[in-house]
Amino acid sequence: MAKGKSFTMTSNADWLNRSLKAVWHPCTQMKWHDDGALPLVPVARGQGAWLYDFDGRRYLDAIGSWWVNLFGHANPRISAAIRDQLDRLEHVILAGFTHAPVVELSERLSALTGGTLGHCFYASDGSSAVEIALKMSAHYWRNHGQPDKHRFVCLTGSYHGETLGTLGVSDVELYKEAYGPLMRHAITVQSPDIRQAKPWESAADFTHRAAAELEAVLKLQHEQISALIVEPLVQGAGGMAMYDPEYLQRARALCDQYRVHLIADEIMVGFGRTGTLFAHEQASIRPDFLCLSKGLTSGYLPLSVALTTDAVYAAFYDDAVTRGFLHSHSFTGNPLACRAALATLDIFVEDHILDRNRTFAEQFTELLAPLANHPCVRHFRQRGMIWALDIDTDRPDFRLRFYREALAREIFLRPLGTTVYFMPPYILDNDEAALLAEQAVAALNAALA
Ligand SMILES: *Cc1c(COP(=O)(O)O)cnc(C)c1O
């Protein structure tokens, strides 16, 4: 019935009304859309850092479409790689079969970890990669004759996804509240989030205090603990909390000492977001599991992967089927998505992205000085290509007001509560960066007025 409609309906209003009837949007109180409190933006197309709606308006995608887009929309190199693969093989089962894109991608990802994480297990979204790491970790201990080691430790303010398993190792009350009885709760220890240091405490002392709390838990309960899971350097959805690499060094040493796995969830921070290709590199450590998604395909297609070590792999290698890792997803290792990921890795090398980002980050931080020095801004912080700041305001509707005011100025920013952050694609030119910085201050003043 609605088939021909797509061609006749061309205005924002048409798509908006149809979407609100038929599409249940994620992470959204749908009534706010109907009330007009939260605008729904129908996107007709994307080009570079810009999204265009059906009424001819444009929005600078300053959060990389939920932290996934690295090299802009409609990137010709990534599109060409997918198109080329599309004519060869769109998909094939990965149990009992293999294909070139998944082999090449696995080899390259392994090489990027110096060969220490040489075994790649794929899924389609970040939460599933985290679930895989959790299951593999506990199953590893079971295969090693320690079936009691099945509990997990996470940090306060952590976010690892929204399936029941990943909510259990997350600490964002807003997303968990309704599902408490359905979950298996992890042990939560103090986050090294530098903002939480006491006024009299140095940053180093605070990092040590957080590590000491982790040590106390591991010392007491390591016989029941399978793994510690962390978002290295920046805790994302919990409010862009940043912390010192030294915490990761301490965590790595403690995990070794107490025979507990370290899971690095780099779904947000991976692929150059914190300045290095992987965030854990800044602590000169390697995790036992590395979870990747989001930027893995530059935000083109859903793909995620959990990488792990020879030691973990060996624990499952046996004649008995039940000692194997019997986990699967229908689209595991999809060839199109793997090609998008390979094209993404090529761009990192060919365009010297990490170097380019370093220069851009310095300049953009300068451009954000008026925001950093704004009287209502607290804890302006930056790491690599992430900028965040907290707004000191009593307005309960600040988040929505800022979001609307930014959109009105062609800027797409989506605060987490009263935390405003920037996670732009790695392709902004000087004019776009200047526009973004300038309009963000204007939107802030308007939202606070
Ligand atoms: C987004 C995210 C996830 C979940 O990934 P999905 O693809 O949304 O399931 C897990 N961990 C972190 C750190 C994330 O940012």
Side-chain angles (χ1 to χ4, degrees), residues 404-444:
R404 283 197 305 256
E405 295 294 347
L407 282 182
R409 291 167 176 77
E410 299 193 329
I411 298 296
F412 172 29
L413 286 167
R414 201 175 190 274
L416 292 158
T418 50
T419 297
V420 172
Y421 68 91
F422 301 81
M423 238 194 263
Y426 304 161
I427 52 151
L428 292 197
D429 64 25
N430 292 341
D431 292 345
E432 289 165 340
L435 180 92
L436 175 55
E438 201 181 295
Q439 295 305 322
V441 183
L444 177 61

Side-chain angles (χ1 to χ4, degrees), residues 67 125-128 130 159-161 231 265 267-268 293-294:
W67 323 345
D125 57 71
S127 303
S128 298
V130 171
Y159 176 90
H160 297 289
E231 293 157 271
D265 174 355
I267 289 164
M268 181 192 87
S293 187
K294 291 197 165 111

Side-chain angles (χ1 to χ4, degrees), residues 90-287:
E90 77 301 327
H91 184 67
V92 65
I93 178 175
L94 198 66
F97 289 80
T98 194
H99 52 81
V102 79
V103 173
E104 287 172 24
L105 180 60
S106 305
E107 287 173 351
R108 283 182 69 176
L109 290 175
S110 299
L112 289 169
T113 68
T116 53
L117 300 165
H119 306 274
C120 299
F121 199 103
Y122 291 88
S124 315
D125 57 71
S127 303
S128 298
V130 171
E131 298 255 352
I132 285 164
L134 297 173
K135 282 177 71 178
M136 260 186 195
S137 172
H139 198 161
Y140 168 96
W141 296 114
R142 179 186 157 92
N143 281 353
H144 266 283
Q146 291 174 276
D148 293 338
K149 276 172 84 72
H150 56 66
R151 296 208 63 191
F152 301 110
V153 181
C154 69
L155 304 179
T156 53
S158 60
Y159 176 90
H160 297 289
E162 285 162 61
T163 56
L164 288 174
T166 57
L167 272 182
V169 292
S170 296
D171 183 43
V172 180
E173 201 45 39
L174 182 64
Y175 303 141
K176 280 174 71 156
E177 204 188 346
Y179 314 106
L182 282 62
M183 280 156 39
R184 185 171 172 275
H185 297 270
I187 302 162
T188 309
V189 296
Q190 174 65 49
S191 160
D193 170 9
I194 214 73
R195 292 171 303 174
Q196 295 180 41
K198 302 285 185 217
W200 59 85
E201 207 173 23
S202 73
D205 285 349
F206 173 66
T207 302
H208 292 166
R209 176 158 66 84
E213 190 177 311
L214 171 63
E215 176 162 26
V217 165
L218 293 184
K219 193 171 184 178
L220 204 66
Q221 301 181 71
H222 64 93
E223 282 171 11
Q224 288 82 47
I225 295 172
S226 177
L228 163 70
I229 181 164
V230 297
E231 293 157 271
L233 300 186
V234 185
Q235 294 182 286
M240 299 297 156
M242 301 192 182
Y243 64 90
D244 197 286
E246 197 196 336
Y247 182 82
L248 293 175
Q249 286 163 355
R250 297 289 300 268
R252 176 70 274 182
L254 290 168
C255 285
D256 287 340
Q257 186 182 345
Y258 291 103
R259 291 178 45 78
V260 164
H261 289 136
L262 177 61
I263 302 173
D265 174 355
E266 296 221 13
I267 289 164
M268 181 192 87
V269 295
F271 298 102
R273 199 39 88 174
T274 66
T276 42
L277 188 70
F278 299 126
H280 68 260
E281 293 168 16
Q282 291 179 50
S284 306
I285 58 146
R286 292 291 182 198

